[in-house]
Amino acid sequence: MLKGEPIQHIVSSPLIRAHHTAEIIAEHIGSTITIIDDLKECCWGVMEGQLVDDGTIFQRWTNGSPHAGAEKVEDFDQRVMRGFQLALSIPGPILIVSHGGVYSTLQRTILNEAMRIENCSPIYHRPPEPPNASWFICAL
């Protein structure tokens, strides 16, 4: 699906699933990969690896009541935005291969919207057309 896109570089989370996906894509489009640690998924502490419930865990987390050992939403958002800014400093167009929580931060922080997406969903973002605009694709 991404083979015809003019992707110049891939940026990936270091976590296995995202990094492996980035490697598969890079092999097919002939691109290089840069790992950005700040694009890792949120640490959920004692809830790590648990099934997502009806949204209560996420709701508590976004309201500032994380479970023991979980990364605070503010810290996560700041980390993700650092990673995003680093990714956008790479000449593009770029492909960001990361996680749903990372995209959730981008939605809350930049796009002022919220939508749940499935894994491996390519999402295209193209900014307005200023002279030096860059664009990116997120594959989650």
Side-chain angles (χ1 to χ4, degrees):
M1 182 172 24
L2 298 174
K3 203 169 194 173
E5 295 297 329
I7 297 166
Q8 292 183 14
H9 198 83
I10 298 173
V11 174
S12 176
S13 158
L15 298 181
I16 293 170
R17 188 176 67 201
H19 187 226
H20 183 66
T21 300
E23 289 175 330
I24 292 168
I25 296 168
E27 181 181 324
H28 288 281
I29 68 171
S31 184
T32 56
I33 301 171
T34 297
I35 302 297
I36 297 181
D37 283 341
D38 283 340
L39 295 177
K40 289 187 292 193
E41 184 62 279
C42 181
C43 173
W44 287 99
V46 298
M47 296 304 293
E48 195 73 40
Q50 301 297 312
L51 293 175
V52 176
D53 62 2
D54 61 358
T56 306
I57 294 170
F58 184 77
Q59 194 70 29
R60 287 185 58 209
W61 179 70
T62 56
N63 287 335
S65 301
H67 288 81
E71 191 171 8
K72 293 179 181 175
V73 69
E74 300 85 11
D75 296 339
F76 177 64
D77 287 351
Q78 288 176 3
R79 172 171 61 80
V80 167
M81 293 311 296
R82 270 194 320 267
F84 184 63
Q85 291 300 321
L86 182 57
L88 290 180
S89 73
I90 297 169
I94 62 170
L95 168 67
I96 299 173
V97 182
S98 194
H99 310 278
V102 169
Y103 191 67
S104 177
T105 290
L106 295 178
Q107 287 181 313
R108 285 191 314 275
T109 307
I110 297 174
L111 305 174
N112 294 319
E113 63 180 43
M115 74 176 170
R116 184 152 169 75
I117 57 170
E118 298 298 321
N119 286 342
C120 294
S121 297
I123 301 168
Y124 294 80
H125 291 278
R126 288 184 171 87
E129 300 290 328
N132 296 319
S134 182
W135 61 273
F136 66 96
I137 302 170
C138 287
L140 308 163

